[in-house]
Amino acid sequence: MAKPFIRFENVYKSFGDNHVMKGVSFSIFEGEVSTIIGKSGVGKSVLLKHIIDLMQNDSGTIYYDGKPFSDMTTQDRKKMKRKFSYMFQGTALFDSMSIYDNIALPLRETTRFSRNKIKELVDEKMDQLELFEHSDSYPSQISGGMKKRVALARALITNPEVVLFDEPTTGLDPIRRNAVHNMISEYQKKFGFTCIIVSHEIPDVFYISQRIAMLDEGKIVFEGTPSDIQQQDNPAINNFISGGAS
Amino acid sequence: MKNQNNEVPVFFLTPIIKLGNSGIEFLNELGRIGIFMYHSFVHIFSLPVQIPKIIEQIYFIGRKSVFIICLTGFFTGMVLGLQAYYALVQFGAVGMLGSGVANTLIREMGPVLSAFMVIARGGSAIAAEIGIMRISEQIDALETMEIDPIRFLVSPKLAASIICFPILTTIFDFMGIFGAYISGVKLLGVNAGIFLFRVHESIDMLDITGGYIKSVVFAVIVSVICCYQGYYTHIRKDGFGAKGVSNSTTSAVVQSCIIILIADYVITSFLM
């Protein structure tokens, strides 16, 4: 069995009087696709941002590879964060840069690859995601679905060990949604990276995930495999995964 | 005044608590600006030096400001020439026009008005640009890519400002003296030879050095404050989203102008 790569232990986070995480505890396993599900506004993106240190918890401990993040040195934190990549819910593309430059930026700034090597890697990624004809366009000139694919290309361009996807398929048509899910699954199998997805796409995500965690009212109310969650007796979980049909 | 339990009533303490909180907040902000400035400055020299980005910013902050600097410098000089002529003519000292105008421009007005013009044209744009990047998570995206946002966004602007401000100030000074020459010599009939002789005679190296010291200090003030206001748009308490960016831009312009005037006085008092 895979070992837990990231572990949340009793993590709390509040924004003023809004208590978003009230003792969150769960594990992310190395080399697996884990999906965090839950109602809108329940704090899934906040949880994801804690994993990549974009937000800091009020209390509790987050472990990476068995080491508490709070005990790591600055160098260790940097080294650890280099393994991560993040795809934002709102894409967070650089609106003053072309699509090509958006995808190439992480390589230009964090590697010493030649211009030709960068072009080769970016072209390959754009080809896979059908973005070639828009390489000179700017984010404001392309559709929402296409922005998602650019963000995905940017997240995968550095071949990270852990990729965090914040609702990667929201706003995509069913064909492209399946294509993105297939691509995440295919890439994950090919490169073996750890994949953490925040998504509403039920049951689609069950087919590509090895592990599901459900966040509700500030706590993880379920943690297990996709088949486990579908056999749950808990009415709140059943109600959520069946879209309120039961 | 104490109550039966020997405690000071809350309403007496409230203003003191508020004052204390404001003081702590002010010191926090000062500390944050200090750290921000330190990181921005250090990253100018961190390898690899971002030469293309610095050149791009020199174009934006410097090259694009040349026209407005020429225009304001020329008309400021013309007004100075006009006003000084009518003041000096009462004492029969119009020959001193060149001296007065040159000193005023090189020591004070050149660095200060150039800085104001760059704030109006470039500083506000910088604050808005970085502010929008902050609220649309573009700065967070840089962090997740392990790209230092201060190095990537702020340091090139600071380096470009340090290079551009003295050059823009020089242009302003030249255009100002030229403007004063046109109004004093060509329009009001002051002797051209005397005017130019007085300009040449009255300026010494200390005045020029002082002007350049000011322009470099102003460059640091403008770029750091404008970038800082944009960078921390998300923690503003007086507005979120677009309103936050608008408030950050306003704060950047107002704070830069005020601090420039204070710094101008402090530097002048040291140079005198």
Side-chain angles (χ1 to χ4, degrees):
Chain A
M1 187 185 161
K3 59 174 181 172
F5 179 59
I6 300 162
R7 166 111 195 110
F8 275 54
E9 213 169 83
N10 219 16
V11 173
Y12 283 79
K13 177 71 181 179
S14 302
F15 299 97
D17 295 333
N18 182 17
H19 306 292
V20 181
M21 293 202 278
K22 297 183 266 191
V24 167
S25 299
F26 79 113
S27 299
I28 302 289
F29 290 84
E30 196 168 3
E32 284 188 354
V33 178
S34 302
T35 301
I36 301 159
I37 58 171
K39 285 178 269 185
S40 295
V42 81
K44 300 185 296 297
S45 298
V46 170
L47 191 153
L48 209 60
K49 283 179 180 174
H50 277 76
I51 296 175
I52 201 163
D53 194 34
L54 275 177
M55 284 183 182
Q56 287 75 39
N57 47 318
D58 298 336
S59 64
T61 315
I62 302 170
Y63 295 91
Y64 294 89
D65 234 353
K67 290 176 210 153
F69 185 73
S70 50
D71 293 353
M72 286 184 185
T73 61
T74 312
Q75 282 307 315
D76 284 345
R77 285 182 188 197
K78 273 192 174 178
K79 213 181 281 175
M80 190 276 298
K81 281 168 75 178
R82 264 186 217 125
K83 297 176 182 174
F84 286 74
S85 193
Y86 191 102
M87 187 183 149
F88 285 82
Q89 189 175 0
T91 69
L93 296 176
F94 301 107
D95 43 22
S96 57
M97 289 184 197
S98 68
I99 299 308
Y100 179 91
D101 290 335
N102 262 284
I103 302 169
L105 186 74
L107 296 177
R108 280 186 190 145
E109 294 294 324
T110 60
T111 69
R112 291 185 185 274
F113 291 160
S114 68
R115 192 181 287 227
N116 287 340
K117 174 78 178 162
I118 291 173
K119 187 170 177 352
E120 188 188 309
L121 291 168
V122 175
D123 284 353
E124 185 192 330
K125 211 56 84 191
M126 288 203 300
D127 197 25
Q128 287 166 340
L129 286 156
E130 301 168 51
L131 291 164
F132 235 133
E133 59 193 86
H134 300 283
S135 65
D136 294 329
S137 305
Y138 286 84
S140 59
Q141 297 171 316
I142 60 174
S143 68
M146 211 172 283
K147 281 183 196 167
K148 288 269 181 192
R149 282 186 281 151
V150 177
L152 191 58
R154 190 177 67 180
L156 297 176
I157 194 78
T158 50
N159 291 330
E161 288 180 32
V162 186
V163 189
L164 287 75
F165 297 92
D166 194 354
E167 302 196 16
T169 53
T170 307
L172 295 184
D173 59 71
I175 295 168
R176 290 227 159 83
R177 193 169 64 210
N178 283 338
V180 169
H181 281 145
N182 288 339
M183 206 194 66
I184 291 172
S185 179
E186 189 188 313
Y187 268 85
Q188 195 275 332
K189 280 176 192 146
K190 191 173 172 187
F191 299 111
F193 57 73
T194 306
C195 183
I196 307 161
I197 307 172
V198 159
S199 181
H200 287 121
E201 308 290 354
I202 294 168
D204 294 16
V205 288
F206 292 163
Y207 306 129
I208 60 162
S209 309
Q210 277 99 54
R211 199 164 284 274
I212 303 285
M214 184 170 162
L215 185 66
D216 194 37
E217 293 182 357
K219 290 193 171 186
I220 295 291
V221 293
F222 172 83
E223 194 183 358
T225 63
S227 56
D228 288 345
I229 197 168
Q230 290 173 88
Q231 290 160 13
Q232 279 291 306
D233 293 333
N234 186 329
I237 296 173
N238 278 336
N239 201 31
F240 179 75
I241 62 173
S242 62
S246 60
Chain B
M1 188 187 287
K2 292 179 178 177
N3 62 17
Q4 288 171 335
N5 298 330
N6 213 22
E7 289 168 345
V8 180
V10 175
F11 63 88
F12 275 123
L13 288 175
T14 307
I16 299 167
I17 292 167
K18 277 187 179 168
L19 190 70
N21 283 339
S22 305
I24 291 166
E25 220 163 271
F26 176 72
L27 288 176
N28 271 338
E29 179 125 6
L30 219 57
R32 223 174 10 238
I33 293 177
I35 294 166
F36 185 82
M37 186 162 76
Y38 169 77
H39 282 295
S40 313
F41 193 74
V42 166
H43 283 308
I44 293 175
F45 307 101
S46 65
L47 297 173
V49 178
Q50 307 175 91
I51 305 284
K53 282 199 206 94
I54 294 173
I55 292 170
E56 194 184 310
Q57 290 304 319
I58 288 174
Y59 177 77
F60 177 71
I61 297 167
R63 167 68 186 84
K64 283 189 161 182
S65 300
V66 169
F67 178 70
I68 197 165
I69 288 288
C70 286
L71 210 64
T72 48
F74 181 74
F75 284 104
T76 304
M78 281 194 84
V79 169
L80 265 180
L82 206 63
Q83 292 280 11
Y85 175 86
Y86 285 111
L88 291 169
V89 80
Q90 295 176 43
F91 307 102
V94 284
M96 296 303 288
L97 183 66
S99 171
V101 167
N103 276 320
T104 311
L105 280 169
I106 290 168
R107 286 182 186 170
E108 296 300 332
M109 295 191 85
V112 173
L113 287 183
S114 306
F116 282 177
M117 285 303 115
V118 178
I119 291 168
R121 208 203 63 77
S124 52
I126 287 170
E129 181 194 338
I130 297 179
I132 288 168
M133 287 186 80
R134 170 60 80 184
I135 62 162
S136 58
E137 294 183 312
Q138 293 175 48
I139 292 179
D140 289 343
L142 287 173
E143 281 179 30
T144 64
M145 291 175 208
E146 271 304 289
I147 300 169
D148 188 323
I150 293 182
R151 180 178 189 274
F152 186 77
L153 295 172
V154 183
S155 297
K157 291 179 173 63
L158 178 59
S161 298
I162 291 171
I163 294 166
C164 292
F165 270 58
I167 298 169
L168 292 173
T169 302
T170 308
I171 295 170
F172 188 99
D173 292 345
F174 270 108
M175 289 308 292
I177 293 168
F178 178 61
Y181 178 88
I182 297 291
S183 67
V185 176
K186 296 291 175 193
L187 301 179
L188 297 167
V190 176
N191 184 286
I194 292 173
F195 180 89
L196 292 174
F197 172 73
R198 289 290 181 200
V199 169
H200 180 256
E201 186 207 46
S202 62
I203 302 165
D204 58 30
M205 205 53 207
L206 190 68
D207 298 324
I208 296 169
T209 315
Y212 282 143
I213 290 171
K214 283 182 182 178
S215 63
V216 170
V217 173
F218 296 166
V220 174
I221 291 171
V222 171
S223 50
V224 168
I225 289 179
C226 293
C227 292
Y228 173 86
Q229 287 296 337
Y231 195 83
Y232 287 106
T233 294
H234 62 309
I235 57 167
R236 292 189 77 89
K237 287 175 184 157
D238 58 354
F240 300 99
K243 196 171 184 333
V245 175
S246 141
N247 289 340
S248 292
T249 310
T250 308
S251 298
V253 172
V254 173
Q255 283 182 14
S256 301
C257 291
I258 291 170
I259 295 173
I260 276 175
L261 291 174
I262 295 168
D264 185 40
Y265 172 77
V266 174
I267 297 168
T268 306
S269 63
F270 274 108
L271 291 173
M272 288 302 246

